[in-house]
Amino acid sequence: DLRSLAADKGYDDMGFREELRAEGVRPLIKHRVFAPYDHAHNARIDDDLYNQRSVCETVNSVIKRSYGSAVRARAWYRQFREIVLAAAVYNVEQAVKQ
């Protein structure tokens, strides 16, 4: 179950936030600053949870550089399998290094 969703300011949309909340998902999306109260909204976001977003983006970047950014399968379920397999191979490589 998805408990929270961390995203960058590009996903700052009230409709999107409301849909997430309706599904019981906590949005961790920084507000674009148009007014002083947007600074207050951003200050209330838990930095430890929000910073996990940058860790995920780093891992995605490493996987794309190591195994390529293109997905070769055409059907969505095969694309999903291909992505999961690349992530599993990355995890095995990391475990072997340690």
Side-chain angles (χ1 to χ4, degrees):
D1 292 333
L2 187 63
R3 295 184 198 165
S4 64
L5 179 100
D8 62 6
K9 293 178 186 179
Y11 293 93
D12 180 26
D13 178 52
M14 285 309 294
F16 183 57
R17 289 174 192 274
E18 290 170 6
E19 286 181 36
L20 289 173
R21 288 187 184 109
E23 295 292 325
V25 177
R26 179 181 174 198
L28 295 171
I29 305 169
K30 296 258 184 181
H31 290 258
R32 288 179 284 170
V33 179
F34 294 117
Y37 55 83
D38 290 331
H39 287 288
H41 287 303
N42 289 342
R44 291 182 18 207
I45 291 178
D46 185 4
D47 284 335
D48 291 334
L49 291 175
Y50 184 75
N51 289 338
Q52 289 298 310
R53 184 185 131 263
S54 63
V55 173
C56 293
E57 287 183 6
T58 300
V59 170
N60 287 338
S61 174
V62 170
I63 290 173
K64 286 166 105 177
R65 281 186 277 122
S66 299
Y67 309 117
S69 60
V71 182
R72 287 149 189 85
R74 292 185 183 222
W76 70 267
Y77 56 90
R78 288 190 177 128
Q79 291 174 351
F80 181 75
R81 257 193 288 183
E82 193 173 327
I83 293 168
V84 169
L85 183 60
V89 169
Y90 171 78
N91 287 337
V92 169
E93 285 181 350
Q94 294 303 307
V96 168
K97 286 181 182 177
Q98 293 181 7

